Amino acid sequence: SRIDGPWEVRFQPQRGAPAQITLPVLDDWSRHPDPGVRHFSGMATYLRTFQLPPAVLAGQPRLYLDLGRVQVMARVKLNGRELGAVWTAPYRVDITSAARPGENSLEIVVANLWPNRLIGDKAVPAEQRITWTTYNRYRKEDPVPASGLLGPVTLQRAGNTAQ
C-alpha cells in the first residue's frame, strides 16, 4: 500500500531553503516554486506518520518500505529505530523489526548533490551566495538536477504489496 502525503519536510539550516515545508504529494525539489527549495543542496528530513493495520503484521511476515525513486540517497528511521541507508535502486529497507500495529512514525533523510545550489548561486550577487568554491562550472541557465524523495513510498509484505 502507498504512504501518501502530506509530508513535512525539514531542511538543513543555512542552505537557503525555508526551515520546513509541507508537501501534499512527493515532488522533485527542482520543480518547486520557492527558489530556496529548488536550489537546495544538502540533507532534508521527510516526516510522516501512518497507520499499520494489525492484519498486515499477521503471520509475522517480512515488511519492507520501498521509497520508489530517490535523488540521491536516503536514510530511514521508523519509530525511532535506524533501519539503514540506500543509495541505489531498489531504494528499499526491511522495516520488520521496527513496525508496529497502529500509528508508526517515519523519518526519511534525503541528501542530494551540490549542482542545485551552485546553479542557484550563479543567479545572485556574490554576497548573497550560500556556497563558495574556487571554480563553479555551472551557469544560472543550466537545468537543476532532480532532487529529493520522489516516491512513490510503498509498504511491501514479503515481496508482495501489503493489503
Side-chain angles (χ1 to χ4, degrees), residues 1 3-4 6-7 46-57 63-65 76-81 83 94-108 153 155 162:
S1 64
I3 300 176
D4 291 320
W7 292 84
Y46 288 74
L47 301 166
R48 177 84 171 80
T49 58
F50 66 93
Q51 293 294 319
L52 192 57
V56 172
L57 299 172
L63 194 60
Y64 299 93
L65 183 73
V76 177
K77 188 185 284 188
L78 183 65
N79 298 322
R81 180 180 273 173
L83 296 174
D94 186 333
I95 64 169
T96 307
S97 63
R100 59 182 179 223
E103 188 170 274
N104 286 264
S105 177
L106 178 60
E107 179 178 315
I108 303 168
V153 175
L155 288 172

Side-chain angles (χ1 to χ4, degrees), residues 136-159:
N136 181 348
R137 70 179 184 89
Y138 297 99
R139 300 171 316 193
K140 65 182 178 182
E141 301 84 16
D142 286 341
V144 180
S147 292
L149 178 59
L150 307 177
V153 175
T154 57
L155 288 172
Q156 298 174 348
R157 183 179 155 175

Side-chain angles (χ1 to χ4, degrees), residues 3 8 13 24 38 42 71 82 87 114 116 121 136 141 147:
I3 300 176
E8 179 183 330
R38 188 169 49 255
Q71 292 296 330
E82 289 277 353
W87 60 91
W114 276 110
N116 300 56
D121 279 356
N136 181 348
E141 301 84 16
S147 292

Side-chain angles (χ1 to χ4, degrees), residues 12-148:
Q12 195 173 357
Q14 300 177 342
R15 299 284 177 103
Q20 74 178 57
I21 61 171
T22 300
L23 293 176
V25 295
L26 293 174
D27 200 8
D28 180 351
W29 300 340
S30 72
R31 299 186 334 194
H32 198 276
D34 182 326
V37 174
R38 188 169 49 255
H39 295 290
F40 177 79
S41 290
M43 293 187 297
T45 304
Y46 288 74
L47 301 166
R48 177 84 171 80
T49 58
F50 66 93
Q51 293 294 319
L52 192 57
V56 172
L57 299 172
Q60 300 180 328
R62 303 300 310 165
L63 194 60
Y64 299 93
L65 183 73
D66 189 305
L67 303 180
R69 187 168 160 229
V70 176
Q71 292 296 330
V72 172
M73 63 185 305
R75 188 178 73 232
V76 177
K77 188 185 284 188
L78 183 65
N79 298 322
R81 180 180 273 173
E82 289 277 353
L83 296 174
V86 289
W87 60 91
T88 186
Y91 294 95
R92 187 174 98 154
V93 294
D94 186 333
I95 64 169
T96 307
S97 63
R100 59 182 179 223
E103 188 170 274
N104 286 264
S105 177
L106 178 60
E107 179 178 315
I108 303 168
V109 178
V110 174
N112 70 338
L113 301 175
W114 276 110
N116 300 56
R117 183 73 264 155
L118 293 173
I119 292 166
D121 279 356
K122 282 288 188 153
V124 297
E127 63 274 4
Q128 294 176 14
R129 294 180 181 164
I130 307 293
T131 58
W132 182 90
T133 182
T134 56
Y135 176 70
N136 181 348
R137 70 179 184 89
Y138 297 99
R139 300 171 316 193
K140 65 182 178 182
E141 301 84 16
D142 286 341
V144 180
S147 292

